[in-house]
Amino acid sequence: MASDDIALLAEALSKTHVGYGELSYKGQGLKLDNAESVKELVREIEEYQGLRALRLEGNTVGVEAAQAIAKALECKDQLQSCHWSDMFTGRLRSEIPTALRSLGSALMTAGARLRELDLSDNAFGPDGVKGIETLLKSSVCHSLRELRLNNCGMGIGGGKILAAALTECHEQSSALGAPLKLKVFIAGRNRLENEGATALALAFQLMGSLEEVHMPQNGINHAGVTALATAMQHNPHLRILNLNDNTFTKRGALAMAQALRHLRTVQVINFGDCLVRSEGAIALSAVLREGLPTLKVSRGVWVDYPFLSDCVHSCVQELNLSFGEITEAAALVLAQAVQDKPHLEKLDLNGNCLGEEGCEALKETMDRADILASLSDDEGEPDDDDEEEEEDEEDEENGKEMKENGVKDKRDSPVKPEPACHPEVLSFLSSPTAETLLKLGDNRTGLIQQHVDVSDSDKVADAFLKISSLYSDDHEVKKAVLETIDTLLKKAFFGSSLQTYSFLSTLLVMLGLLKGEGKVKKVQVLPGHLLVLEHAVQQDYFPQDHASLLDTFVARHGKALKSCSHARDSLKSTLERRISPEC
C-alpha cells in the first residue's frame, strides 16, 4: 500500500466516531481495495470490545477488503446494527455478491443477532439479493427489526428472492418460539413491479409486525397495490405507509381505502404521484369520515369499534395525495372529510387538476390554511376528451397486464350465484318499464332487493338509475318507484361509508358529474333520476355527509344536467337545505 494511502487512512481513522457500542467510518470516502488497505480499520474493529453497531456507509469496499473486515467480525457476537449503505461505489456488480456473502458468513459465525441492516444505495441488483439471501434466512436475522434496501435495483427477481428469504426466516424463527418481528421495511426505487410487490406482500402478511413500509417508485400498479393492501390489513401496528410514485388508479385506491379501515395506528400516508384520481380520493374521504385511528395522513378507525371514533378523528397528521389527477369537486370532498382532524399537520394536494378557481375554493374550504401544502404546481382543469381517451387506453393496458401476470380482473371473476331466480325480476332489470314494475306486485321491493348485490356499487347505481328512470306523476308508479328505491338504498346504506361513498361515486360517473375509469358508462339523464335522488337525500337513511358530497358535485358540474334543469335546481335546493338546515 502506498505511503500516501496509509496516511489518508490514518487521517480517516483519526476521525472515526466511537460512541456507545458504535464504530463509525461514515462518509469518509475511503477506497478499500484489499487486506492491506483495511489493516488499521480491521485492528480498530478487533480491539473494540462490545461492538454493537458498525457504520461503513459512504466508502467503497472491494472483495478482498470485505473478506478482511469479515474475518474481524467473526468474534463480534454482540453486533446488532450494520449500516452498510453506499458501500460499493465504483465496484463491478459481480464483485458485490461475493463481498456480501463474506460479511454475512462472518455474522453467522459470530452468532450475532441483528436488529438493523441497511444496504441502501448499493445498486447490486438481483444478484446482490442472492448475496444476502443466506444471511436473511439464518438465525442472525431472527431478531431483525429494520431492513433498509432503498435504491438497490433488485427488480422482480430480487423482490421474489427477498420475499422467500423473509418467509423462511419467519418460519424458522417461529418454530423456535420467537417469530421474526420486522418493524421497518424500506425498499424504494427497486423496480419491484407487480410480481415483486405481490411476493413481498405475502411475506408481510405472514409477519404481521410492520410499523413502517416505504416502497416508493417501484413501478407497481393496481394489481400489486391490491396485494399490498391485503397484506397491510394483517399489520395492525402500521404507522407509516409510503407508496409514492406508483400507479393506483381506482382499483388500487379502493383496495387501499378498504385496508385503511382496518388499521388503528396509521400516522403517515403518502400516496403522492400515485394516480389516485377523483374516485380514489372520494373512497379515501369515506375512510377519513369514518375515522382512521392514528393516521398521520396519512389515518383510520374500525367500524366495529365506534367508541374509538373520537380518537381516530383527532389523530390525523399528514396526508399526501399530490399529483394524482384529482379534480376540484373530489378535492373539496376530501377537504371536508379532514375538517374535524385537529391534529392534521399537512394535507398535500399539489399538482392535481383543480384549476385556478378550484384552488381558491379549496383554500376557502379549509378552516386552517396553514396545513394545506402549496398548490403552485396545479395542472389546471382536465380536458374532457383527452382524459376519457387516456382512461380507456389505460383500462385496456391494465387488463392486458393482469392477464399476462395471471391476475384476474374483477370483471373476470366468477359471478356470484343468483339467490332464487325470478324471471320477471330479471326481465324488469334488463328492460325496465313502469308496467313490468307494477306487475311484480306488492312484494316487488323484496324481489328486486334479492337480485341486487348491495355490496357491488356498480350494480346498486345501475339499479337505482333504471328504477328511478320510471318516475312519473302517476300516483301508483311514483309510489312503486319510491318504495323500491327506499328499500334498496336502506340496505345499501347499512354498509360502511366506504361502500356507500363508492356507490355515490359510481352514480356521479354515470350521471356525467365525475370522470370515471374503466367500463362505467354515462346514461342519458332523465328528470326522474334527479327527482328520486332528491327524495332519497331527505330520508333518514341518507347521511348528511353524503348529501354534502352530492351538493359539491351538483354545484360545480351542474352543466352536465342542463337537459333536466328544473329537476336539477330542485335537487340542488333540497341538498342545500339538507346540509344547512338553518337555511
Side-chain angles (χ1 to χ4, degrees):
M1 186 177 185
S3 58
D4 289 345
D5 291 336
I6 295 176
L8 287 172
L9 179 57
E11 181 183 355
L13 289 172
S14 69
K15 299 177 182 177
T16 298
H17 172 70
V18 179
Y20 177 70
E22 178 181 284
L23 192 57
S24 175
Y25 303 92
K26 180 179 180 180
Q28 295 183 10
L30 301 174
K31 190 172 186 296
L32 308 173
D33 296 322
N34 50 42
E36 182 66 19
S37 68
V38 293
K39 185 176 180 180
E40 292 299 318
L41 186 152
V42 166
R43 182 183 60 78
E44 291 266 358
I45 293 175
E46 289 176 339
E47 293 179 355
Y48 197 109
Q49 300 300 311
L51 181 63
R52 294 178 181 275
L54 178 61
R55 308 194 76 104
L56 295 175
E57 63 264 55
N59 301 290
T60 177
V61 181
V63 173
E64 290 185 31
Q67 291 170 341
I69 294 171
K71 188 66 177 176
L73 292 175
E74 288 182 353
C75 61
K76 300 301 176 182
D77 61 338
Q78 296 183 52
L79 188 62
Q80 296 181 353
S81 301
C82 296
H83 301 279
W84 296 346
S85 63
D86 190 18
M87 201 172 74
F88 299 108
T89 300
R91 303 294 171 181
L92 295 175
R93 180 171 289 189
S94 59
E95 294 181 76
I96 300 175
T98 303
L100 290 173
R101 287 190 185 96
S102 297
L103 293 167
S105 179
L107 298 178
M108 289 185 281
T109 300
R113 306 288 287 183
L114 288 186
R115 294 184 67 84
E116 297 178 75
L117 178 59
D118 186 355
L119 289 167
S120 299
D121 302 316
N122 279 312
F124 46 51
D127 290 339
V129 184
K130 293 178 182 178
I132 60 173
E133 182 180 8
T134 302
L135 172 64
L136 290 173
K137 292 178 179 179
S138 73
S139 60
V140 174
C141 291
H142 287 185
S143 53
L144 196 62
R145 295 295 179 266
E146 298 185 16
L147 179 59
R148 303 170 188 270
L149 296 168
N150 200 58
N151 191 30
C152 289
M154 289 188 287
I156 293 173
K160 289 182 175 180
I161 295 169
L162 176 60
L166 291 174
T167 298
E168 184 170 331
C169 182
H170 183 272
E171 290 174 347
Q172 292 186 5
S173 58
S174 296
L176 296 174
L180 170 66
K181 294 183 178 179
L182 190 66
K183 293 185 178 180
V184 177
F185 180 83
I186 300 177
R189 300 184 66 188
N190 272 291
R191 305 193 308 276
L192 294 170
E193 301 183 18
N194 284 344
E195 291 184 64
T198 299
L200 285 166
L202 294 175
F204 296 162
Q205 183 170 330
L206 183 66
M207 290 186 291
S209 56
L210 290 168
E211 295 181 8
E212 293 186 29
V213 174
H214 302 261
M215 296 175 67
Q217 202 172 346
N218 268 296
I220 308 169
N221 69 24
H222 63 82
V225 170
T226 298
L228 288 171
T230 300
M232 293 307 107
Q233 294 185 48
H234 295 269
N235 288 265
H237 302 296
L238 189 70
R239 296 183 297 106
I240 300 175
L241 182 57
N242 176 8
L243 294 175
N244 189 284
D245 199 7
N246 289 291
T247 306
F248 282 32
T249 62
K250 176 185 175 181
R251 279 173 281 184
L254 288 175
M256 272 299 167
Q258 180 62 40
L260 291 172
R261 293 184 60 241
H262 297 277
L263 299 174
R264 298 175 54 194
T265 59
V266 181
Q267 297 176 343
V268 177
I269 293 177
N270 186 343
F271 294 161
D273 205 8
C274 284
L275 282 185
V276 168
R277 291 184 171 152
S278 295
E279 289 180 276
I282 291 173
L284 292 169
S285 298
V287 179
L288 290 168
R289 286 279 192 183
E290 269 185 3
L292 289 178
T294 40
L295 196 59
K296 237 192 172 180
V297 173
S298 313
R299 266 167 235 216
V301 153
W302 273 348
V303 182
D304 309 77
Y305 297 91
F307 58 87
L308 291 173
S309 59
D310 291 339
C311 168
V312 175
H313 285 295
S314 65
C315 295
V316 182
Q317 297 175 16
E318 298 178 21
L319 174 58
N320 185 346
L321 294 177
S322 60
F323 297 93
E325 294 190 2
I326 298 170
T327 55
E328 175 194 355
L332 293 177
V333 170
L334 187 64
Q336 293 163 6
V338 301
Q339 289 290 54
D340 60 347
K341 306 292 184 291
H343 296 289
L344 179 67
E345 297 172 2
K346 184 177 181 180
L347 174 62
D348 192 346
L349 292 172
N350 192 26
N352 282 297
C353 305
L354 311 184
E356 186 175 344
E357 292 183 2
C359 288
E360 290 303 315
L362 181 61
K363 293 174 183 177
E364 292 174 3
T365 300
M366 298 297 297
D367 290 337
R368 292 179 294 141
D370 58 306
I371 67 175
L372 184 64
S374 169
L375 299 172
S376 59
D377 295 318
D378 185 72
E379 296 287 338
E381 296 182 49
D383 181 271
D384 293 352
D385 294 335
D386 290 346
E387 186 174 274
E388 287 178 359
E389 182 178 343
E390 288 172 5
E391 286 167 355
D392 289 340
E393 290 176 356
E394 180 181 89
D395 192 68
E396 290 176 8
E397 284 298 314
N398 286 341
K400 178 181 178 182
E401 179 178 322
M402 292 175 78
K403 292 182 185 298
E404 289 175 349
N405 292 333
V407 180
K408 289 187 177 181
D409 189 321
K410 177 181 177 182
R411 295 182 294 260
D412 297 328
S413 301
V415 178
K416 292 183 180 179
E418 297 289 347
C421 182
H422 293 276
E424 300 87 352
V425 178
L426 296 177
S427 175
F428 166 74
L429 292 174
S430 176
S431 301
T433 65
E435 182 180 3
T436 53
L437 176 63
L438 295 176
K439 280 185 177 180
L440 292 176
D442 294 338
N443 195 33
R444 68 178 70 87
T445 58
L447 291 173
I448 292 175
Q449 180 181 280
Q450 290 176 23
H451 284 74
V452 178
D453 180 4
V454 295
S455 67
D456 188 322
S457 60
D458 290 358
K459 291 182 178 179
V460 177
D462 183 62
F464 175 89
L465 292 173
K466 285 179 175 178
I467 298 168
S468 60
S469 68
L470 306 177
Y471 183 89
S472 74
D473 291 331
D474 181 279
H475 175 74
E476 190 176 5
V477 174
K478 180 190 296 186
K479 182 173 181 291
V481 167
L482 296 182
E483 287 180 348
T484 305
I485 288 295
D486 284 341
T487 301
L488 179 65
L489 293 188
K490 278 180 184 178
K491 187 175 180 181
F493 278 69
F494 186 74
S496 67
S497 291
L498 175 57
Q499 182 177 309
T500 53
Y501 264 53
S502 183
F503 154 67
L504 288 181
S505 177
T506 302
L507 186 63
L508 290 168
V509 171
M510 297 177 80
L511 289 173
L513 296 172
L514 172 65
K515 295 299 178 185
E517 295 179 18
K519 303 299 182 182
V520 178
K521 299 300 181 183
K522 300 176 185 177
V523 299
Q524 179 182 354
V525 182
L526 302 174
H529 293 144
L530 306 184
L531 294 173
V532 173
L533 190 55
E534 179 184 1
H535 162 82
V537 300
Q538 299 177 72
Q539 307 310 306
D540 292 339
Y541 60 73
F542 206 101
Q544 186 171 355
D545 61 288
H546 290 54
S548 179
L549 185 158
L550 280 176
D551 178 64
T552 299
F553 278 88
V554 172
R556 280 160 179 78
H557 300 290
K559 290 181 180 179
L561 308 175
K562 61 183 179 181
S563 62
C564 308
S565 57
H566 179 73
R568 176 199 63 192
D569 294 343
S570 181
L571 170 62
K572 190 173 184 301
S573 297
T574 298
L575 286 169
E576 290 173 351
R577 289 194 300 272
R578 177 70 200 280
I579 62 178
S580 302
E582 65 277 6
C583 297

